[in-house]
Short mmCIF file of all heavy atoms in Angstrom, two decimals:
data_model
loop_
_atom_site.label_atom_id
_atom_site.label_comp_id
_atom_site.label_asym_id
_atom_site.label_seq_id
_atom_site.Cartn_x
_atom_site.Cartn_y
_atom_site.Cartn_z
N PRO A 1406 0.56 2.27 -0.74
CA PRO A 1406 1.35 3.39 -0.83
C PRO A 1406 1.28 4.05 0.57
O PRO A 1406 0.36 3.92 1.37
CB PRO A 1406 0.54 4.38 -1.83
CG PRO A 1406 -0.32 3.38 -2.60
CD PRO A 1406 -0.55 2.27 -1.66
N THR A 1408 0.45 6.90 1.36
CA THR A 1408 -0.52 7.97 1.60
C THR A 1408 -1.65 7.40 2.34
O THR A 1408 -2.62 8.08 2.64
CB THR A 1408 -1.03 8.44 0.22
OG1 THR A 1408 -1.48 7.23 -0.52
CG2 THR A 1408 0.04 9.02 -0.67
N LEU A 1409 -1.71 6.16 2.61
CA LEU A 1409 -2.81 5.56 3.42
C LEU A 1409 -2.60 5.61 4.86
O LEU A 1409 -1.50 5.18 5.33
CB LEU A 1409 -2.90 4.07 2.93
CG LEU A 1409 -4.31 3.48 2.85
CD1 LEU A 1409 -5.29 4.32 2.06
CD2 LEU A 1409 -4.17 2.01 2.25
N ARG A 1411 -2.41 4.65 8.64
CA ARG A 1411 -2.13 3.31 9.23
C ARG A 1411 -3.46 2.63 9.63
O ARG A 1411 -3.56 1.35 9.19
CB ARG A 1411 -1.19 3.58 10.42
CG ARG A 1411 -0.70 2.33 11.19
CD ARG A 1411 0.55 1.83 10.55
NE ARG A 1411 0.22 0.61 9.87
CZ ARG A 1411 0.79 0.15 8.76
NH1 ARG A 1411 1.77 0.81 8.16
NH2 ARG A 1411 0.42 -0.99 8.19
N PRO A 1412 -4.37 3.19 10.43
CA PRO A 1412 -5.61 2.36 10.74
C PRO A 1412 -6.31 1.97 9.57
O PRO A 1412 -6.95 0.88 9.56
CB PRO A 1412 -6.39 3.38 11.59
CG PRO A 1412 -5.27 4.40 12.04
CD PRO A 1412 -4.30 4.49 11.03
N LEU A 1416 -6.98 -2.09 8.66
CA LEU A 1416 -8.29 -2.68 8.46
C LEU A 1416 -8.39 -3.36 7.10
O LEU A 1416 -8.98 -4.50 7.00
CB LEU A 1416 -9.53 -1.63 8.63
CG LEU A 1416 -10.87 -2.31 8.67
CD1 LEU A 1416 -10.99 -3.34 9.69
CD2 LEU A 1416 -11.95 -1.21 8.83
N ALA A 1419 -6.70 -6.48 7.57
CA ALA A 1419 -7.51 -7.53 8.48
C ALA A 1419 -8.65 -8.10 7.61
O ALA A 1419 -8.86 -9.31 7.67
CB ALA A 1419 -8.03 -6.83 9.72
N LEU A 1423 -9.74 -12.56 5.54
CA LEU A 1423 -10.98 -13.27 5.35
C LEU A 1423 -11.02 -14.03 4.01
O LEU A 1423 -10.62 -13.49 3.03
CB LEU A 1423 -12.13 -12.44 5.65
CG LEU A 1423 -12.27 -11.77 6.97
CD1 LEU A 1423 -13.58 -10.85 6.94
CD2 LEU A 1423 -12.31 -12.70 8.19
N PRO A 1424 -11.58 -15.26 4.09
CA PRO A 1424 -11.63 -16.04 2.77
C PRO A 1424 -12.57 -15.40 1.79
O PRO A 1424 -13.56 -14.96 2.09
CB PRO A 1424 -12.19 -17.47 3.27
CG PRO A 1424 -12.99 -17.09 4.55
CD PRO A 1424 -12.34 -16.01 5.18
N ARG A 1433 -12.82 -1.52 -0.39
CA ARG A 1433 -14.24 -1.02 -0.52
C ARG A 1433 -14.90 -1.05 0.80
O ARG A 1433 -15.63 -0.11 1.20
CB ARG A 1433 -14.93 -1.81 -1.65
CG ARG A 1433 -16.04 -1.23 -2.23
CD ARG A 1433 -16.51 -1.90 -3.59
NE ARG A 1433 -16.36 -3.38 -3.41
CZ ARG A 1433 -17.25 -4.11 -2.88
NH1 ARG A 1433 -18.31 -3.59 -2.15
NH2 ARG A 1433 -17.07 -5.37 -2.91
N LEU A 1434 -14.82 -2.21 1.62
CA LEU A 1434 -15.45 -2.31 2.85
C LEU A 1434 -14.96 -1.21 3.79
O LEU A 1434 -15.76 -0.73 4.60
CB LEU A 1434 -15.15 -3.78 3.36
CG LEU A 1434 -15.80 -4.85 2.65
CD1 LEU A 1434 -15.41 -6.15 3.27
CD2 LEU A 1434 -17.30 -4.84 2.55
N PHE A 1436 -13.52 1.71 3.28
CA PHE A 1436 -13.99 3.07 2.97
C PHE A 1436 -15.47 3.29 3.14
O PHE A 1436 -15.89 4.29 3.51
CB PHE A 1436 -13.44 3.60 1.60
CG PHE A 1436 -11.91 3.93 1.66
CD1 PHE A 1436 -11.03 3.03 1.34
CD2 PHE A 1436 -11.57 5.26 2.10
CE1 PHE A 1436 -9.68 3.36 1.36
CE2 PHE A 1436 -10.27 5.59 2.17
CZ PHE A 1436 -9.29 4.64 1.74
N PHE A 1437 -16.14 2.08 2.97
CA PHE A 1437 -17.63 2.15 3.21
C PHE A 1437 -17.83 2.47 4.68
O PHE A 1437 -18.61 3.35 5.10
CB PHE A 1437 -18.26 0.92 2.89
CG PHE A 1437 -19.66 0.71 3.37
CD1 PHE A 1437 -20.78 1.20 2.71
CD2 PHE A 1437 -19.91 -0.03 4.59
CE1 PHE A 1437 -21.97 1.03 3.24
CE2 PHE A 1437 -21.18 -0.22 5.04
CZ PHE A 1437 -22.27 0.34 4.51
N LEU A 1438 -17.07 1.83 5.61
CA LEU A 1438 -17.21 2.02 7.00
C LEU A 1438 -16.68 3.47 7.42
O LEU A 1438 -17.22 4.01 8.40
CB LEU A 1438 -16.49 0.95 7.77
CG LEU A 1438 -17.15 -0.42 7.67
CD1 LEU A 1438 -16.21 -1.51 8.31
CD2 LEU A 1438 -18.49 -0.45 8.49
N LEU A 1439 -15.79 4.02 6.64
CA LEU A 1439 -15.34 5.36 6.95
C LEU A 1439 -16.40 6.35 6.68
O LEU A 1439 -16.54 7.38 7.30
CB LEU A 1439 -14.09 5.66 6.14
CG LEU A 1439 -12.71 5.26 6.80
CD1 LEU A 1439 -11.58 5.39 5.82
CD2 LEU A 1439 -12.42 6.02 8.11
N ARG A 1440 -17.19 6.08 5.63
CA ARG A 1440 -18.23 6.95 5.22
C ARG A 1440 -19.49 6.89 6.10
O ARG A 1440 -20.23 7.81 6.38
CB ARG A 1440 -18.72 6.75 3.80
CG ARG A 1440 -17.92 7.48 2.76
CD ARG A 1440 -18.76 7.30 1.39
NE ARG A 1440 -18.97 6.01 0.93
CZ ARG A 1440 -18.13 5.22 0.38
NH1 ARG A 1440 -16.91 5.60 0.07
NH2 ARG A 1440 -18.56 3.96 0.04
N GLU A 1441 -19.85 5.66 6.56
CA GLU A 1441 -20.89 5.39 7.38
C GLU A 1441 -20.90 6.06 8.80
O GLU A 1441 -19.74 6.42 9.18
CB GLU A 1441 -21.10 3.88 7.71
CG GLU A 1441 -21.57 3.07 6.56
CD GLU A 1441 -23.00 3.38 6.21
OE1 GLU A 1441 -23.90 2.90 6.87
OE2 GLU A 1441 -23.26 4.10 5.17
N GLU A 1443 -20.04 6.33 12.58
CA GLU A 1443 -19.01 5.52 13.27
C GLU A 1443 -19.65 4.16 13.86
O GLU A 1443 -18.97 3.14 14.04
CB GLU A 1443 -18.49 6.36 14.49
CG GLU A 1443 -17.37 5.57 15.17
CD GLU A 1443 -16.52 6.58 16.01
OE1 GLU A 1443 -16.76 7.76 16.14
OE2 GLU A 1443 -15.33 6.13 16.48
N LEU A 1449 -20.08 -3.86 14.30
CA LEU A 1449 -19.37 -4.91 13.75
C LEU A 1449 -18.19 -5.50 14.69
O LEU A 1449 -18.14 -6.64 14.93
CB LEU A 1449 -18.76 -4.62 12.32
CG LEU A 1449 -18.06 -5.76 11.58
CD1 LEU A 1449 -19.04 -7.06 11.43
CD2 LEU A 1449 -17.66 -5.27 10.23
N ALA A 1450 -17.47 -4.45 15.24
CA ALA A 1450 -16.47 -4.84 16.19
C ALA A 1450 -17.08 -5.62 17.44
O ALA A 1450 -16.50 -6.56 17.94
CB ALA A 1450 -15.79 -3.63 16.66
N ALA A 1452 -19.93 -7.23 17.55
CA ALA A 1452 -20.45 -8.61 17.11
C ALA A 1452 -19.18 -9.54 17.08
O ALA A 1452 -19.41 -10.70 17.41
CB ALA A 1452 -21.13 -8.45 15.85
N LEU A 1453 -18.12 -9.10 16.67
CA LEU A 1453 -16.89 -9.87 16.49
C LEU A 1453 -16.42 -10.37 17.87
O LEU A 1453 -16.04 -11.44 18.11
CB LEU A 1453 -15.75 -9.17 15.77
CG LEU A 1453 -15.96 -9.19 14.30
CD1 LEU A 1453 -15.09 -7.93 13.64
CD2 LEU A 1453 -15.58 -10.49 13.60
N GLN A 1454 -16.38 -9.45 18.85
CA GLN A 1454 -15.88 -9.70 20.16
C GLN A 1454 -16.90 -10.68 20.81
O GLN A 1454 -16.49 -11.55 21.71
CB GLN A 1454 -15.77 -8.48 21.10
CG GLN A 1454 -14.58 -7.72 20.63
CD GLN A 1454 -14.50 -6.19 21.04
OE1 GLN A 1454 -15.56 -5.62 21.21
NE2 GLN A 1454 -13.31 -5.66 20.96
N ALA A 1455 -18.19 -10.54 20.65
CA ALA A 1455 -19.21 -11.35 21.33
C ALA A 1455 -19.17 -12.85 20.69
O ALA A 1455 -19.75 -13.73 21.39
CB ALA A 1455 -20.59 -10.80 21.09
N LEU A 1456 -18.64 -12.95 19.49
CA LEU A 1456 -18.79 -14.21 18.87
C LEU A 1456 -18.22 -15.36 19.67
O LEU A 1456 -18.96 -16.38 19.90
CB LEU A 1456 -17.94 -14.23 17.52
CG LEU A 1456 -18.05 -15.43 16.67
CD1 LEU A 1456 -19.47 -15.64 16.09
CD2 LEU A 1456 -17.03 -15.32 15.54
N ARG A 1457 -16.96 -15.22 20.25
CA ARG A 1457 -16.48 -16.37 21.00
C ARG A 1457 -16.99 -16.17 22.57
O ARG A 1457 -17.19 -17.24 23.18
CB ARG A 1457 -14.89 -16.21 21.00
CG ARG A 1457 -14.35 -16.55 19.70
CD ARG A 1457 -14.75 -17.92 19.32
NE ARG A 1457 -14.07 -18.35 18.03
CZ ARG A 1457 -12.83 -18.88 18.00
NH1 ARG A 1457 -12.27 -19.24 19.10
NH2 ARG A 1457 -12.29 -19.12 16.79
N GLY A 1459 -19.71 -15.22 23.73
CA GLY A 1459 -21.11 -15.56 23.90
C GLY A 1459 -21.40 -16.90 23.44
O GLY A 1459 -22.73 -17.31 23.42
N ILE A 1469 -22.40 -25.25 17.89
CA ILE A 1469 -22.16 -23.89 18.56
C ILE A 1469 -23.50 -23.38 19.07
O ILE A 1469 -24.52 -23.29 18.37
CB ILE A 1469 -21.54 -22.95 17.59
CG1 ILE A 1469 -20.08 -23.45 17.25
CG2 ILE A 1469 -21.53 -21.56 18.16
CD1 ILE A 1469 -19.56 -22.84 15.87
N GLU A 1471 -25.56 -20.94 22.53
CA GLU A 1471 -25.32 -19.98 23.64
C GLU A 1471 -25.17 -20.63 24.96
O GLU A 1471 -24.39 -20.21 25.77
CB GLU A 1471 -26.51 -19.02 23.65
CG GLU A 1471 -26.50 -17.97 22.58
CD GLU A 1471 -27.74 -17.22 22.46
OE1 GLU A 1471 -28.57 -17.74 21.70
OE2 GLU A 1471 -27.97 -16.17 23.16
N ILE A 1477 -31.61 -27.76 20.21
CA ILE A 1477 -32.04 -29.07 19.55
C ILE A 1477 -31.99 -30.25 20.51
O ILE A 1477 -32.94 -31.05 20.69
CB ILE A 1477 -31.40 -29.38 18.18
CG1 ILE A 1477 -31.68 -28.25 17.21
CG2 ILE A 1477 -31.69 -30.82 17.72
CD1 ILE A 1477 -30.97 -28.40 15.90
N GLU A 1493 -19.90 -29.61 9.96
CA GLU A 1493 -19.84 -28.22 10.49
C GLU A 1493 -21.17 -27.76 10.99
O GLU A 1493 -22.32 -28.18 10.49
CB GLU A 1493 -19.42 -27.27 9.33
CG GLU A 1493 -18.05 -27.59 8.66
CD GLU A 1493 -16.89 -27.33 9.61
OE1 GLU A 1493 -17.07 -26.67 10.67
OE2 GLU A 1493 -15.78 -27.74 9.28
N PRO A 1494 -21.21 -26.74 11.87
CA PRO A 1494 -22.42 -26.26 12.29
C PRO A 1494 -23.36 -25.59 11.15
O PRO A 1494 -24.59 -25.74 11.36
CB PRO A 1494 -22.00 -24.89 13.20
CG PRO A 1494 -20.58 -25.32 13.76
CD PRO A 1494 -20.02 -26.18 12.57
N LEU A 1495 -22.82 -25.09 10.06
CA LEU A 1495 -23.63 -24.70 8.99
C LEU A 1495 -24.42 -25.82 8.38
O LEU A 1495 -25.48 -25.49 7.84
CB LEU A 1495 -22.85 -24.00 7.94
CG LEU A 1495 -22.45 -22.57 8.16
CD1 LEU A 1495 -21.63 -21.96 6.94
CD2 LEU A 1495 -23.79 -21.73 8.16
N LEU A 1498 -27.67 -26.19 10.08
CA LEU A 1498 -28.64 -25.21 9.63
C LEU A 1498 -29.28 -25.63 8.24
O LEU A 1498 -30.43 -25.56 8.04
CB LEU A 1498 -27.91 -23.93 9.34
CG LEU A 1498 -27.84 -22.90 10.47
CD1 LEU A 1498 -27.21 -21.66 9.90
CD2 LEU A 1498 -29.26 -22.61 10.99
N TYR A 1588 -24.13 -25.64 0.77
CA TYR A 1588 -24.69 -24.71 -0.32
C TYR A 1588 -25.87 -25.41 -1.05
O TYR A 1588 -26.51 -24.89 -2.06
CB TYR A 1588 -23.67 -24.35 -1.30
CG TYR A 1588 -22.60 -23.48 -0.72
CD1 TYR A 1588 -21.27 -23.88 -0.83
CD2 TYR A 1588 -22.86 -22.25 -0.17
CE1 TYR A 1588 -20.22 -23.09 -0.28
CE2 TYR A 1588 -21.85 -21.46 0.43
CZ TYR A 1588 -20.60 -21.94 0.33
OH TYR A 1588 -19.63 -21.17 0.89
N PRO B 21 -32.98 -19.62 11.35
CA PRO B 21 -33.65 -20.53 12.13
C PRO B 21 -33.15 -20.31 13.64
O PRO B 21 -32.13 -19.88 13.93
CB PRO B 21 -33.23 -21.89 11.68
CG PRO B 21 -32.57 -21.61 10.29
CD PRO B 21 -32.18 -20.28 10.25
N THR B 23 -32.08 -22.35 15.56
CA THR B 23 -30.91 -23.23 15.99
C THR B 23 -29.55 -22.45 16.00
O THR B 23 -28.57 -23.04 16.41
CB THR B 23 -30.74 -24.38 15.04
OG1 THR B 23 -30.55 -23.89 13.76
CG2 THR B 23 -32.03 -25.25 15.10
N LEU B 24 -29.59 -21.20 15.46
CA LEU B 24 -28.38 -20.52 15.39
C LEU B 24 -28.22 -19.71 16.71
O LEU B 24 -29.05 -18.94 17.13
CB LEU B 24 -28.45 -19.51 14.28
CG LEU B 24 -27.13 -19.16 13.53
CD1 LEU B 24 -26.48 -20.41 13.11
CD2 LEU B 24 -27.54 -18.35 12.28
N ARG B 26 -27.28 -16.75 19.22
CA ARG B 26 -27.49 -15.40 19.06
C ARG B 26 -26.26 -14.67 18.62
O ARG B 26 -26.42 -13.89 17.65
CB ARG B 26 -28.00 -14.79 20.39
CG ARG B 26 -28.43 -13.31 20.39
CD ARG B 26 -29.87 -13.08 19.92
NE ARG B 26 -29.84 -12.51 18.60
CZ ARG B 26 -30.69 -12.73 17.70
NH1 ARG B 26 -31.72 -13.50 17.84
NH2 ARG B 26 -30.62 -12.10 16.45
N PRO B 27 -25.17 -14.76 19.24
CA PRO B 27 -23.87 -14.01 18.66
C PRO B 27 -23.59 -14.39 17.34
O PRO B 27 -22.99 -13.60 16.58
CB PRO B 27 -22.86 -14.53 19.72
CG PRO B 27 -23.55 -15.01 20.94
CD PRO B 27 -24.85 -15.60 20.42
N LEU B 31 -23.49 -11.62 14.21
CA LEU B 31 -22.38 -11.44 13.43
C LEU B 31 -22.74 -11.63 11.84
O LEU B 31 -22.27 -10.82 11.07
CB LEU B 31 -21.05 -12.18 13.82
CG LEU B 31 -19.80 -11.93 13.09
CD1 LEU B 31 -19.52 -10.43 13.20
CD2 LEU B 31 -18.69 -12.75 13.49
N ALA B 34 -24.41 -8.50 10.93
CA ALA B 34 -23.53 -7.45 10.88
C ALA B 34 -22.61 -7.36 9.56
O ALA B 34 -22.48 -6.34 8.95
CB ALA B 34 -22.66 -7.24 12.18
N LEU B 38 -22.75 -5.08 5.15
CA LEU B 38 -21.58 -4.49 4.42
C LEU B 38 -21.96 -4.58 2.89
O LEU B 38 -22.63 -5.56 2.47
CB LEU B 38 -20.29 -5.17 4.72
CG LEU B 38 -19.68 -5.08 6.13
CD1 LEU B 38 -18.54 -5.90 6.36
CD2 LEU B 38 -19.51 -3.67 6.47
N PRO B 39 -21.56 -3.72 2.17
CA PRO B 39 -21.89 -3.69 0.64
C PRO B 39 -21.28 -4.85 -0.09
O PRO B 39 -20.06 -5.19 0.19
CB PRO B 39 -21.37 -2.37 0.06
CG PRO B 39 -20.27 -1.93 1.05
CD PRO B 39 -20.58 -2.61 2.39
N ARG B 48 -20.43 -17.66 5.86
CA ARG B 48 -19.18 -18.17 5.57
C ARG B 48 -18.01 -17.57 6.35
O ARG B 48 -17.19 -18.18 7.12
CB ARG B 48 -18.84 -18.22 4.14
CG ARG B 48 -17.85 -19.25 3.62
CD ARG B 48 -17.88 -19.51 2.07
NE ARG B 48 -18.11 -18.16 1.37
CZ ARG B 48 -17.09 -17.29 1.21
NH1 ARG B 48 -15.92 -17.49 1.71
NH2 ARG B 48 -17.35 -16.21 0.51
N LEU B 49 -18.04 -16.20 6.33
CA LEU B 49 -17.07 -15.45 7.17
C LEU B 49 -17.21 -15.76 8.67
O LEU B 49 -16.24 -15.93 9.33
CB LEU B 49 -17.26 -13.94 6.86
CG LEU B 49 -17.02 -13.48 5.48
CD1 LEU B 49 -17.30 -11.90 5.31
CD2 LEU B 49 -15.62 -13.73 5.06
N PHE B 51 -18.41 -18.37 10.29
CA PHE B 51 -18.00 -19.73 10.63
C PHE B 51 -16.52 -19.87 10.42
O PHE B 51 -15.89 -20.63 11.15
CB PHE B 51 -18.81 -20.81 10.05
CG PHE B 51 -20.13 -20.94 10.66
CD1 PHE B 51 -21.33 -20.31 10.24
CD2 PHE B 51 -20.25 -21.79 11.85
CE1 PHE B 51 -22.50 -20.37 10.86
CE2 PHE B 51 -21.51 -21.87 12.50
CZ PHE B 51 -22.65 -21.23 11.99
N PHE B 52 -16.00 -19.15 9.48
CA PHE B 52 -14.57 -19.12 9.33
C PHE B 52 -13.84 -18.57 10.71
O PHE B 52 -12.96 -19.24 11.15
CB PHE B 52 -14.08 -18.27 8.14
CG PHE B 52 -12.60 -18.00 8.12
CD1 PHE B 52 -11.71 -18.89 7.56
CD2 PHE B 52 -12.13 -16.78 8.54
CE1 PHE B 52 -10.47 -18.59 7.44
CE2 PHE B 52 -10.78 -16.38 8.58
CZ PHE B 52 -9.90 -17.25 7.91
N LEU B 53 -14.46 -17.48 11.13
CA LEU B 53 -13.82 -16.89 12.38
C LEU B 53 -14.12 -17.71 13.60
O LEU B 53 -13.26 -17.73 14.46
CB LEU B 53 -14.36 -15.52 12.57
CG LEU B 53 -13.91 -14.43 11.59
CD1 LEU B 53 -14.73 -13.14 11.74
CD2 LEU B 53 -12.41 -14.13 11.76
N LEU B 54 -15.16 -18.54 13.54
CA LEU B 54 -15.34 -19.48 14.65
C LEU B 54 -14.29 -20.65 14.71
O LEU B 54 -13.95 -21.15 15.73
CB LEU B 54 -16.83 -20.10 14.62
CG LEU B 54 -17.87 -19.32 15.31
CD1 LEU B 54 -19.22 -19.79 14.81
CD2 LEU B 54 -17.84 -19.28 16.76
N ARG B 55 -13.92 -21.01 13.48
CA ARG B 55 -12.97 -22.12 13.39
C ARG B 55 -11.51 -21.65 13.71
O ARG B 55 -10.59 -22.36 14.17
CB ARG B 55 -12.98 -22.65 11.99
CG ARG B 55 -13.91 -23.85 11.82
CD ARG B 55 -13.63 -24.55 10.46
NE ARG B 55 -13.55 -23.79 9.38
CZ ARG B 55 -14.60 -23.36 8.65
NH1 ARG B 55 -15.78 -23.81 8.95
NH2 ARG B 55 -14.55 -22.53 7.59
N GLU B 56 -11.26 -20.43 13.20
CA GLU B 56 -9.80 -19.82 13.49
C GLU B 56 -9.67 -19.61 14.96
O GLU B 56 -10.56 -19.58 15.78
CB GLU B 56 -9.74 -18.42 12.78
CG GLU B 56 -9.73 -18.47 11.26
CD GLU B 56 -8.46 -19.08 10.79
OE1 GLU B 56 -7.47 -18.31 10.75
OE2 GLU B 56 -8.37 -20.23 10.28
N GLU B 58 -9.16 -17.65 18.24
CA GLU B 58 -10.04 -16.52 18.73
C GLU B 58 -9.39 -15.10 18.38
O GLU B 58 -10.10 -14.15 17.91
CB GLU B 58 -10.21 -16.53 20.25
CG GLU B 58 -11.13 -15.36 20.72
CD GLU B 58 -11.62 -15.66 22.16
OE1 GLU B 58 -11.15 -16.64 22.74
OE2 GLU B 58 -12.56 -14.91 22.49
N LEU B 64 -9.62 -8.28 14.04
CA LEU B 64 -10.52 -7.56 13.21
C LEU B 64 -11.27 -6.56 13.92
O LEU B 64 -11.44 -5.35 13.49
CB LEU B 64 -11.35 -8.58 12.36
CG LEU B 64 -12.37 -7.98 11.35
CD1 LEU B 64 -11.62 -7.09 10.26
CD2 LEU B 64 -13.14 -9.05 10.66
N ALA B 65 -11.79 -6.92 15.03
CA ALA B 65 -12.51 -6.07 15.98
C ALA B 65 -11.69 -4.79 16.35
O ALA B 65 -12.10 -3.68 16.35
CB ALA B 65 -13.02 -6.75 17.24
N ALA B 67 -8.99 -3.58 14.79
CA ALA B 67 -8.83 -2.86 13.56
C ALA B 67 -10.03 -1.84 13.24
O ALA B 67 -9.89 -0.76 12.93
CB ALA B 67 -8.48 -3.64 12.36
N LEU B 68 -11.26 -2.48 13.48
CA LEU B 68 -12.43 -1.66 13.27
C LEU B 68 -12.57 -0.49 14.30
O LEU B 68 -12.98 0.60 13.97
CB LEU B 68 -13.73 -2.55 13.39
CG LEU B 68 -13.99 -3.41 12.15
CD1 LEU B 68 -14.81 -4.71 12.59
CD2 LEU B 68 -14.63 -2.70 11.07
N GLN B 69 -12.24 -0.77 15.54
CA GLN B 69 -12.32 0.25 16.62
C GLN B 69 -11.32 1.36 16.32
O GLN B 69 -11.45 2.54 16.54
CB GLN B 69 -12.20 -0.38 17.97
CG GLN B 69 -13.44 -1.14 18.29
CD GLN B 69 -13.23 -2.03 19.54
OE1 GLN B 69 -12.06 -2.52 19.71
NE2 GLN B 69 -14.34 -2.49 20.11
N ALA B 70 -10.13 0.99 15.75
CA ALA B 70 -9.04 1.94 15.55
C ALA B 70 -9.40 2.83 14.31
O ALA B 70 -8.80 3.93 14.23
CB ALA B 70 -7.68 1.24 15.42
N LEU B 71 -10.17 2.33 13.48
CA LEU B 71 -10.48 2.97 12.16
C LEU B 71 -10.84 4.50 12.36
O LEU B 71 -10.21 5.33 11.80
CB LEU B 71 -11.59 2.29 11.39
CG LEU B 71 -11.80 2.82 10.01
CD1 LEU B 71 -10.66 2.70 9.06
CD2 LEU B 71 -13.14 2.15 9.43
N ARG B 72 -11.76 4.73 13.26
CA ARG B 72 -12.22 6.07 13.48
C ARG B 72 -11.34 6.81 14.53
O ARG B 72 -10.99 7.93 14.40
CB ARG B 72 -13.62 6.11 13.89
CG ARG B 72 -14.63 5.77 12.88
CD ARG B 72 -14.53 6.76 11.56
NE ARG B 72 -15.50 6.29 10.71
CZ ARG B 72 -16.73 6.85 10.55
NH1 ARG B 72 -17.10 7.89 11.42
NH2 ARG B 72 -17.53 6.40 9.76
N GLY B 74 -8.26 6.40 15.23
CA GLY B 74 -6.80 6.70 14.80
C GLY B 74 -6.80 7.50 13.57
O GLY B 74 -5.73 7.74 12.98
N ILE B 84 -8.30 11.25 4.30
CA ILE B 84 -8.27 10.63 5.59
C ILE B 84 -6.74 10.33 5.88
O ILE B 84 -5.97 9.89 5.07
CB ILE B 84 -9.05 9.33 5.45
CG1 ILE B 84 -10.53 9.59 5.50
CG2 ILE B 84 -8.79 8.41 6.87
CD1 ILE B 84 -11.38 8.42 4.85
N GLU B 86 -3.67 10.05 9.47
CA GLU B 86 -3.44 9.86 10.94
C GLU B 86 -3.35 11.14 11.67
O GLU B 86 -3.72 11.36 12.78
CB GLU B 86 -2.15 9.06 11.15
CG GLU B 86 -2.42 7.53 10.97
CD GLU B 86 -1.19 6.75 10.75
OE1 GLU B 86 -0.59 6.70 9.65
OE2 GLU B 86 -0.61 6.27 11.89
N ILE B 92 0.91 14.14 2.10
CA ILE B 92 0.95 14.75 0.73
C ILE B 92 0.96 16.39 0.93
O ILE B 92 1.85 17.03 0.31
CB ILE B 92 -0.13 14.26 -0.21
CG1 ILE B 92 0.03 12.82 -0.51
CG2 ILE B 92 -0.21 15.12 -1.50
CD1 ILE B 92 -1.05 12.20 -1.43
N GLU B 108 -13.44 10.64 -3.66
CA GLU B 108 -13.18 9.77 -2.53
C GLU B 108 -11.68 9.58 -2.26
O GLU B 108 -10.85 9.72 -3.20
CB GLU B 108 -13.80 8.41 -2.78
CG GLU B 108 -15.25 8.37 -3.10
CD GLU B 108 -16.04 8.78 -1.89
OE1 GLU B 108 -15.55 8.83 -0.67
OE2 GLU B 108 -17.29 8.98 -2.04
N PRO B 109 -11.31 9.27 -0.95
CA PRO B 109 -9.97 8.94 -0.73
C PRO B 109 -9.32 7.93 -1.49
O PRO B 109 -8.10 7.93 -1.90
CB PRO B 109 -10.09 8.49 0.85
CG PRO B 109 -11.16 9.17 1.42
CD PRO B 109 -12.16 9.24 0.18
N LEU B 110 -10.15 6.87 -1.91
CA LEU B 110 -9.70 5.82 -2.74
C LEU B 110 -9.13 6.31 -4.11
O LEU B 110 -8.28 5.73 -4.80
CB LEU B 110 -10.67 4.70 -3.01
CG LEU B 110 -10.74 3.60 -1.95
CD1 LEU B 110 -11.80 2.68 -2.39
CD2 LEU B 110 -9.38 2.90 -1.82
N LEU B 113 -5.56 7.43 -3.88
CA LEU B 113 -4.68 6.30 -4.02
C LEU B 113 -4.49 5.83 -5.52
O LEU B 113 -3.37 5.53 -5.94
CB LEU B 113 -5.27 5.13 -3.35
CG LEU B 113 -4.93 4.83 -1.97
CD1 LEU B 113 -5.55 3.54 -1.44
CD2 LEU B 113 -3.52 4.81 -1.67
#
Side-chain angles (χ1 to χ4, degrees):
Chain A
T1408 59
L1409 211 52
R1411 185 83 254 146
L1416 184 55
L1423 298 176
R1433 205 163 38 73
L1434 296 177
F1436 283 94
F1437 168 82
L1438 289 171
L1439 276 168
R1440 269 195 308 275
E1441 287 290 286
E1443 182 160 12
L1449 182 53
L1453 283 159
Q1454 284 160 339
L1456 183 66
R1457 294 300 186 91
I1469 290 157
E1471 281 166 273
I1477 294 177
E1493 301 291 350
L1495 272 181
L1498 268 186
Y1588 298 121
Chain B
T23 59
L24 211 51
R26 185 84 253 148
L31 184 56
L38 299 177
R48 204 162 38 75
L49 295 177
F51 282 95
F52 167 82
L53 289 171
L54 276 167
R55 269 195 306 274
E56 287 289 287
E58 182 161 11
L64 182 54
L68 283 159
Q69 285 161 340
L71 183 66
R72 294 299 186 92
I84 290 157
E86 280 165 273
I92 293 178
E108 302 291 348
L110 273 181
L113 269 186

